[in-house]
Amino acid sequence: MPAKKIGVYICHCGVNIAATVAIDELKRFAEGLPHVKSAQNYMYVCSEPGQELIRKDIREKGLNRIVVAACSPRMHEPTFRAVLKSADINPYCLEIANIREQCSWVHHDKQTATDKAKGLLAAAVAKAALLEPLEEREVGVTPTALVIGGGIAGIQAALDIADNGFKVYLVEKDASIGGHMMQLDKTFPTLDCSACILTPKMADVKNHPNIELLAYSEVVDVKGFVGNFKVTVKKKPRYVLESICNACGQCAQYCPIVIDDAFNERLAKTRALHIPFPQAIPAKYVIDPEACRYLRDKSCRQCEQVCKELQAINLDQKEELVELDIGTIVVATGFDVFDARQKPELGYGKYENVITGLEFERLVSASGPNQGEIKIHGKKPRDVVFVQCVGSRDKTVGNEYCSRVCCMYTAKHAHLVREKIPDATITVFYIDVRAFGKGFEQFYDRVKGERVYYRRGNVSEIYRRGERLVVRAEDTLEGRAMEVEADLVVLAVGMVPNKGAKELAKLLKLSNSPDNFFLEAHPKLRPVDTGSEGVFLAGCCQGPKDIPDTVAQASASAAKAVIPLSQGKVKTETMVSVVQAEACRGCGFCVEACPYAAISLEEKKVRGKKKLVATVNEVLCKSCGACAAACLSGAIQQKSFTDEQILSVIAAIGKDY
Amino acid sequence: MQETYERACYIERLGLFGCIQCGKCTAGCPLNYLTPFNIRKMVYEVLNSSGEEIASEKHEIWQCTTCSTCSSRCPKQIEPRDVIINLRSILVEDGNIPPQIRDVLKSISINYNPWRLGKEQRGEWSKGLALKDASEAELLYYVGCTPAFDPRLQKVAQAMVKAFNKAQIEFGTLGIEEVCCGSEIRRLGDIWSFDALREANTEIFNGYDNIKQIVTTSPHCYNTFKNEYPGLKPSVMHYTQFFSSLIDTGKLVLAKDFRKKITYHDPCFLGKQNKIYEEPRNILAHVPGSTFVEFDRNREASLCCEGGGGRMWIEIEDVKERLANIRVRAAAEMGVDIIAVACPFCLLTLEDAVKSNDLEGKIQVMDIMEIVAKTLT
């Protein structure tokens, strides 16, 4: 075995470390540690000259183990591993001592911090001396992607991945793709008709040879790992045969059950047998299983009788489970609107003419309940009041964040009211107006110019006075409370994560940010990656955003998701666990401990005897170390985290410095 | 636990730097319907200058009823109501207070009640009722200063006893040993007397090993015991919670018809501050022969009667209207016979308003307990 020659590199990190840790003292200390051949300090070791310094030393001094005392390995572990590789030594002969986040950034006293840095460094050197070279391995990738969610984010991601030449499954839980964007009338700031710009993309999804659309379906199980996922999808029964139905609509006219129309935010009615909206993709009818009379008590088969020629109705259809082999996954589950009943002082749910922004979109849409005429109780409202920040920027309902789109969509709504009801009085109560995007401030100026009164004050209550509503807020710029009578109040409700997201998070092992949206791998530099390799985020499931930002993020997510698919291979974990068969007692605790089903008991012949031995699947193993910790016999050692290595770290830290 | 008042840092303690001046507090403040009292502005001014200046200049700080609409709605969860209490405590410490308040605080220190009546009169309401002592039951009925001393409210305490007895509930009272809970005293800014009262009461309640539960007449006493007495061992309930569950479990049956049209006025200290809305309604729903209608402004939107925060002892001058008047007129429009209340202060202020609006004989204000007593055989 060649002699261990450790090189130590201490980073100043500008003043981040050097202001609190005495670098010279640390360097002298390092030189005295066992196996240390050389100790250097540098301003920014992660910089190109810093990296070159390491490379040079490896070549000239024959170093075979490197210790970097600097920032958290989460910053630059890959950087330094690459440096070792480029200098022809095994990249896993690297140990990083975090003397920044764990030392200089959390202590004030220079002496204490320096002493602690010595301990951290001694521990890293002790471990480095025991590190062994590890093999990097690769495994193949299924050249197929899964996009979960068929709103604009999912649609865009699916199209981009498919255009790259890869097969995509697009799974959508509703009966049609399109999501919330389909419900919008015009979009800010261009006043593009939402459905008009969305339906071509929906048609592209339908026609794309690489996209297989699984609508009215849900992901129920995910196993495996990046490049090799096994996903189970439940196809819910429509009770209408997709391959036969031609959407003629005859059947629905005879359905006796009337239900609330979810697409129209319950402002209109539809039948239990219905098509979600005219431009639905897939353009097929569907039966609501909770409303259908036959499905509840077998007492009606009208629709079957009507569809005699095609026989597209099958009331005995069952749900189907399909298993898909998937390489990478894009999560695009979108948002729900905030439930304004949680703000009882605003009267939503109590007064009929207090509605949400999304309900307003349906009112004002040509495909909506009034063919685009804004009417309440059959009458055009004369005084319209808009209330901003409902369910956003509000600790009392647990939503501290700003929902980003409401200032702009309210300005758009105000414009639409002005367009359709020229002599209406329009008031917007706001706290701040956030018009940050391209063309937004100009749009806001234009809307104000259309005689819209913007009053600065957070609406505190809405109550009834006779037939009218009174909206009470303080005009903080005037310094007095004011009341505005209204016949229509629109609440600018914010976004909350889609309710299905919680279950999906468990399946995909996704974390949430404090605002309950999905957590990205790094908020600045990796906004579409997640902590789970091979799983990416697109759209509002990661945080509230408008359509341009959603589309941009969806394309970014698609680009990331394609990388493993186009490379055709991914690296597997190197620091896997190893079982010493002779010591294994076959108890199976490790199997219970493993969250990835990467270890199992297999019958093996050990010293002539057959016995159950824990066996690691190195491809599934994620190097978490749970099995090694659970093992009662000490038979499992994790590479680069062996008992000997960990004990050497503890021994080094336990000394006085 | 001494609540020390540090003039410099209460701004940080109350999180005032987080205020975005959105004005939701002012717009929801019931006082702001009547006067230029502007809590948002006060928070801003306190942030920018010393509490002393604001306190001595703004006489309107005595108008606040501490209903807590501001604190319950603030999206940044700041407590504007606590700013008022802190400002008042500056004035109390300097002795710079209206004479009515001075009298109240003096009465507390001498007689342990704010009504300037001798403490030996505290047992008058229960003459002839043969009540158990506090040491004789697991349940303590904490009567409260106003029901004990005010002749109108004494009827409520008597009705409570009738209902306890009908349901065969064993309960004790402290009699003349009962001491003010301190709720309004704290809200008037005398945080020092409040500390003393709290210490005394905690010692009394915890001192009885047999007492497991306290039931109060007033939501003010309930609120302060529940939320401001951290060392208290027995559990606390307002009588509406207690009796609602007695009715649900069949232990108390409201048998006789009471054929009236009833509405219910949510007290701020029970509703807005402690989210107890349904139990009082449950009791009223079991009143045989009655019909129930809701105010438009019900539950958290209930219009403060202007009884809390020391307002039982402070009048505002030059005010065009009283909220209690608005309330009884709204009740009259609905054609109700009874406005049901669950708080002694609401009862007194609303009854006053019935009289001053010439609605006597048309509308009655009754405590829920009085209604219940009418239905018991």
Side-chain angles (χ1 to χ4, degrees):
Chain A
M1 174 119 103
K4 292 161 208 181
K5 298 186 187 154
I6 300 179
V8 174
Y9 297 86
I10 302 169
C11 189
H12 293 233
C13 194
V15 295
N16 280 309
I17 296 176
T20 319
V21 172
I23 303 286
D24 284 332
E25 198 181 317
L26 195 59
K27 181 172 153 187
R28 282 193 299 276
F29 172 77
E31 282 161 353
L33 292 170
H35 304 293
V36 170
K37 186 113 194 296
S38 103
Q40 304 259 41
N41 60 305
Y42 194 68
M43 209 30 95
Y44 300 100
V45 177
C46 60
S47 66
E48 192 39 54
Q51 295 180 37
E52 187 52 35
L53 179 62
I54 300 178
R55 261 182 232 117
K56 191 157 157 283
D57 278 358
I58 292 175
R59 282 194 299 265
E60 291 175 8
K61 296 176 186 169
L63 303 174
N64 51 27
R65 302 276 187 285
I66 302 293
V67 170
V68 178
C71 54
S72 162
R74 287 176 70 82
M75 297 284 124
H76 285 299
E77 189 177 70
T79 316
F80 295 126
R81 289 214 198 283
V83 169
L84 269 63
K85 200 165 186 186
S86 65
D88 294 319
I89 63 171
N90 187 286
Y92 294 88
C93 293
L94 165 77
E95 188 65 20
I96 295 182
N98 181 351
I99 59 170
R100 192 182 75 172
E101 282 86 338
Q102 287 183 359
C103 189
S104 69
W105 271 4
V106 293
H107 299 301
H108 299 294
D109 179 69
K110 208 160 178 174
Q111 194 51 60
T112 332
T114 308
D115 290 343
K116 179 171 172 180
K118 286 180 185 168
L120 291 170
L121 186 54
V125 167
K127 184 165 174 208
L130 296 171
L131 285 173
E132 297 292 332
L134 298 181
E135 218 185 297
E136 274 183 344
R137 256 179 300 184
E138 281 168 346
V139 73
V141 167
T142 309
T144 306
L146 168 67
V147 176
I148 307 177
I152 179 62
I155 289 171
Q156 185 63 49
L159 287 171
D160 286 343
I161 299 175
D163 282 345
N164 259 283
F166 295 100
K167 163 128 196 189
V168 185
Y169 291 100
L170 177 54
V171 173
E172 163 56 50
K173 73 174 183 341
D174 285 342
S176 167
I177 56 174
H180 283 298
M181 188 174 166
M182 199 63 215
Q183 294 177 292
L184 307 180
D185 180 44
K186 308 264 191 313
T187 55
F188 61 78
T190 52
L191 297 173
D192 274 299
C193 155
S194 189
C196 310
I197 56 177
L198 179 59
T199 42
K201 284 200 189 273
M202 287 163 63
D204 285 346
V205 163
K206 171 168 171 287
N207 297 327
H208 206 297
N210 283 342
I211 299 182
E212 189 173 325
L213 174 56
L214 298 170
Y216 212 46
S217 304
E218 291 179 33
V219 171
V220 294
D221 196 25
V222 178
K223 289 205 170 27
F225 59 104
V226 58
N228 301 275
F229 291 110
K230 276 225 178 334
V231 178
T232 311
V233 175
K234 174 176 75 174
K235 292 169 77 164
K236 300 183 286 197
R238 280 180 190 257
Y239 307 101
V240 172
L241 298 170
E242 244 184 87
S243 50
I244 303 178
C245 171
N246 66 0
C248 70
Q250 294 276 27
C251 53
Q253 293 177 38
Y254 290 89
C255 175
I257 306 296
V258 172
I259 60 173
D260 281 331
D261 183 355
F263 179 74
N264 272 308
E265 292 295 303
R266 289 163 294 284
L267 293 175
K269 299 286 185 198
T270 183
R271 308 288 174 123
L273 170 53
H274 63 282
I275 191 167
F277 48 89
Q279 312 96 315
I281 303 270
K284 308 287 172 189
Y285 275 68
V286 64
I287 298 180
D288 181 336
E290 295 187 3
C292 169
R293 199 177 269 171
Y294 175 80
L295 293 169
R296 280 185 301 155
D297 58 26
K298 300 250 190 299
S299 67
C300 169
R301 295 184 89 123
Q302 289 268 47
C303 47
E304 257 185 349
Q305 319 292 352
V306 176
C307 188
K308 260 198 277 264
E309 222 183 281
L310 292 176
Q311 291 185 14
I313 307 232
N314 177 358
L315 292 166
D316 298 311
Q317 193 180 37
K318 299 276 176 280
E319 75 181 30
E320 212 188 305
L321 290 175
V322 293
E323 244 200 36
L324 306 173
D325 287 315
I326 300 290
T328 53
I329 302 174
V330 172
V331 177
T333 48
F335 68 93
D336 283 333
V337 290
F338 171 75
D339 180 2
R341 283 171 301 192
Q342 289 183 56
K343 306 293 295 173
E345 65 269 23
L346 299 179
Y348 179 72
K350 189 174 167 189
Y351 305 120
E352 265 185 13
N353 29 0
V354 176
I355 63 175
T356 66
L358 192 53
E359 289 168 350
F360 181 82
E361 292 282 348
R362 293 316 307 150
L363 261 193
V364 87
S365 285
S367 62
N370 294 326
Q371 287 80 48
E373 279 198 75
I374 306 173
K375 277 192 179 152
I376 290 286
H377 301 311
K379 285 205 307 225
K380 272 203 170 115
R382 286 232 38 239
D383 299 298
V384 183
V385 173
F386 291 94
V387 179
Q388 304 263 209
C389 298
V390 177
S392 310
R393 305 182 69 186
D394 194 340
K395 288 183 184 176
T396 66
V397 294
N399 296 348
E400 286 188 48
Y401 54 87
C402 163
S403 286
R404 203 170 160 111
V405 298
C406 328
C407 282
M408 291 312 295
Y409 83 56
T410 294
K412 172 193 72 177
H413 287 170
H415 165 81
L416 292 172
V417 171
R418 177 58 71 224
E419 199 180 57
K420 303 209 169 195
I421 311 175
D423 57 356
T425 34
I426 308 173
T427 313
V428 178
F429 282 105
Y430 70 97
I431 308 176
D432 297 287
V433 175
R434 295 179 168 178
F436 54 89
K438 191 161 175 174
F440 288 10
E441 182 73 19
Q442 299 90 315
F443 183 71
Y444 169 55
D445 281 341
R446 169 207 176 149
V447 166
K448 279 197 296 174
E450 290 169 349
R451 284 161 31 246
V452 173
Y453 289 97
Y454 268 77
R455 300 230 184 258
R456 190 190 179 271
N458 191 356
V459 169
S460 195
E461 51 197 31
I462 297 178
Y463 60 91
R464 189 180 15 230
R465 191 182 287 158
E467 284 299 312
R468 307 255 274 162
L469 292 175
V470 175
V471 179
R472 187 178 170 85
E474 191 197 356
D475 183 333
T476 58
L477 298 178
E478 284 216 47
R480 60 176 182 83
M482 63 182 296
E483 293 187 336
V484 176
E485 284 197 0
D487 25 40
L488 175 62
V489 177
V490 183
L491 305 180
V493 286
M495 291 187 184
V496 296
N498 185 295
K499 62 173 116 50
K502 247 199 182 133
E503 277 309 305
L504 195 63
K506 286 194 208 135
L507 291 179
L508 293 168
K509 299 191 183 39
L510 295 178
S511 306
N512 288 347
S513 339
D515 58 15
N516 288 321
F517 290 90
F518 286 135
L519 181 66
E520 58 287 296
H522 188 282
K524 293 253 185 244
L525 296 178
R526 298 178 70 202
V528 300
D529 296 78
T530 66
S532 299
E533 224 187 317
V535 179
F536 305 92
L537 302 173
C540 292
C541 65
Q542 181 259 347
K545 53 180 71 70
D546 56 14
I547 294 167
D549 287 344
T550 297
V551 169
Q553 196 183 48
S555 293
S557 197
K560 286 301 196 88
V562 158
I563 296 175
L565 304 181
S566 63
Q567 292 291 304
K569 49 184 167 31
V570 282
K571 292 206 181 90
T572 58
E573 289 290 336
T574 44
M575 300 179 190
V576 296
S577 288
V578 176
V579 179
Q580 201 191 7
E582 285 150 351
C584 173
R585 72 172 79 169
C587 69
F589 277 12
C590 53
V591 177
E592 280 179 49
C594 177
Y596 303 100
I599 191 167
S600 53
L601 290 175
E602 317 260 312
E603 216 178 58
K604 289 208 170 115
K605 229 177 187 172
V606 182
R607 286 187 193 245
K609 270 210 182 114
K610 266 205 196 148
K611 68 169 185 167
L612 281 177
V613 174
T615 311
V616 177
N617 178 330
E618 295 195 358
V619 161
L620 289 176
C621 176
K622 297 293 257 173
S623 315
C624 73
C627 55
C631 179
L632 301 171
S633 318
I636 306 184
Q637 295 290 317
Q638 189 188 354
K639 292 189 183 173
S640 281
F641 287 94
T642 62
D643 289 350
E644 200 192 351
Q645 287 161 347
I646 295 176
L647 289 169
S648 76
V649 164
I650 295 172
I653 283 188
K655 292 208 181 105
D656 272 321
Y657 294 104
Chain B
M1 191 178 82
Q2 189 66 18
E3 190 178 306
T4 48
Y5 166 62
E6 287 145 358
R7 296 176 184 216
C9 76
Y10 78 87
I11 289 174
E12 275 165 24
R13 185 158 47 86
L14 296 179
L16 299 186
F17 279 107
C19 172
I20 54 171
Q21 290 286 296
C22 71
K24 190 150 183 169
C25 48
T26 293
C29 173
L31 254 304
N32 195 262
Y33 276 93
L34 309 171
T35 74
F37 180 81
N38 190 326
I39 181 66
R40 171 200 57 86
K41 204 146 172 234
M42 228 171 283
V43 167
Y44 194 60
E45 287 167 344
V46 159
L47 190 60
N48 291 324
S49 69
S50 86
E52 284 95 331
E53 273 175 52
I54 315 289
S56 49
E57 284 168 20
K58 296 212 182 262
H59 305 291
E60 63 259 34
I61 66 173
W62 296 109
Q63 294 173 3
C64 173
T65 70
T66 66
C67 71
S68 298
T69 304
C70 52
S71 296
S72 68
R73 289 189 186 163
C74 174
K76 297 295 177 181
Q77 290 186 329
I78 291 166
E79 304 243 23
R81 176 209 56 205
D82 283 359
V83 171
I84 295 290
I85 296 178
N86 274 287
L87 288 171
R88 287 179 177 180
S89 67
I90 298 176
L91 295 176
V92 166
E93 204 177 20
D94 288 341
N96 186 359
I97 49 182
Q100 310 93 309
I101 307 299
R102 191 175 309 136
D103 288 343
V104 166
L105 298 181
K106 205 153 113 187
S107 173
I108 285 283
S109 64
I110 299 172
N111 289 303
Y112 305 116
N113 74 75
W115 293 110
R116 299 158 72 192
L117 293 167
K119 56 176 170 322
E120 62 289 338
Q121 291 176 45
R122 201 170 178 120
E124 294 296 302
W125 70 274
S126 60
K127 275 241 151 62
L129 286 180
L131 300 181
K132 284 198 167 65
D133 181 67
S135 58
E136 296 178 288
E138 279 192 358
L139 177 66
L140 176 71
Y141 170 39
Y142 180 86
V143 183
C145 302
T146 308
F149 287 104
D150 183 288
R152 175 65 186 90
L153 266 303
Q154 286 174 342
K155 300 201 173 79
V156 175
Q158 288 151 6
M160 192 87 62
V161 168
K162 182 172 178 193
F164 274 129
N165 288 337
K166 185 73 187 175
Q168 298 179 322
I169 300 288
E170 297 227 338
F171 70 96
T173 62
L174 287 163
I176 61 172
E177 298 304 321
E178 195 180 88
V179 157
C180 178
C181 66
S183 165
E184 303 309 284
I185 309 311
R186 174 168 181 259
R187 279 145 183 79
L188 280 169
D190 190 350
I191 54 184
W192 303 273
S193 294
F194 173 74
D195 266 352
L197 288 169
R198 175 169 56 188
E199 209 180 305
N201 273 314
T202 308
E203 223 180 278
I204 295 174
F205 299 144
N206 289 353
Y208 286 94
D209 282 330
N210 54 293
I211 295 182
K212 301 282 182 282
Q213 194 176 40
I214 302 173
V215 169
T216 71
T217 323
S218 172
H220 292 252
C221 307
Y222 165 76
N223 177 63
T224 207
F225 289 152
K226 184 127 177 101
N227 300 315
E228 296 171 346
Y229 274 51
L232 195 62
K233 288 215 193 93
S235 66
V236 191
M237 265 193 168
H238 183 252
Y239 82 74
T240 49
Q241 296 173 293
F242 187 77
F243 280 95
S244 175
S245 110
L246 281 186
I247 290 175
D248 281 344
T249 52
K251 294 215 182 82
L252 184 67
V253 178
L254 310 192
K256 283 177 11 197
D257 264 13
F258 186 69
R259 290 184 185 283
K260 299 279 184 186
K261 193 170 177 188
I262 307 177
T263 189
Y264 173 63
H265 167 80
D266 289 275
C268 298
F269 279 68
L270 195 63
K272 278 184 192 118
Q273 295 188 31
N274 287 287
K275 310 276 178 275
I276 297 171
Y277 302 116
E278 303 313 319
E279 290 93 323
R281 288 173 168 78
N282 185 36
I283 300 175
L284 291 171
H286 282 85
V287 171
S290 67
T291 43
F292 182 78
V293 290
E294 290 274 12
F295 278 114
D296 179 51
R297 298 191 62 131
N298 64 64
R299 292 181 174 80
E300 48 283 300
S302 180
L303 197 58
C304 178
C305 72
E306 289 186 80
R311 287 294 307 280
M312 292 305 289
W313 303 284
I314 308 172
E315 280 290 341
I316 315 179
E317 290 132 45
D318 315 318
V319 152
K320 33 195 166 109
E321 179 63 289
R322 286 215 187 120
L323 298 175
N325 290 342
I326 299 176
R327 205 60 161 157
V328 306
R329 286 201 295 265
E333 264 174 49
M334 291 197 293
V336 300
D337 304 307
I338 313 269
I339 303 176
V341 294
C343 168
F345 295 158
C346 294
L347 195 152
L348 291 172
T349 51
L350 289 177
E351 235 179 36
D352 230 14
V354 163
K355 289 183 190 129
S356 50
N357 282 279
D358 292 321
L359 288 166
E360 259 186 298
K362 299 207 193 78
I363 291 192
Q364 241 188 313
V365 181
M366 288 177 80
D367 189 282
I368 288 183
M369 226 49 226
E370 294 181 302
I371 297 176
V372 165
K374 287 245 189 278
T375 68
L376 300 177
T377 48

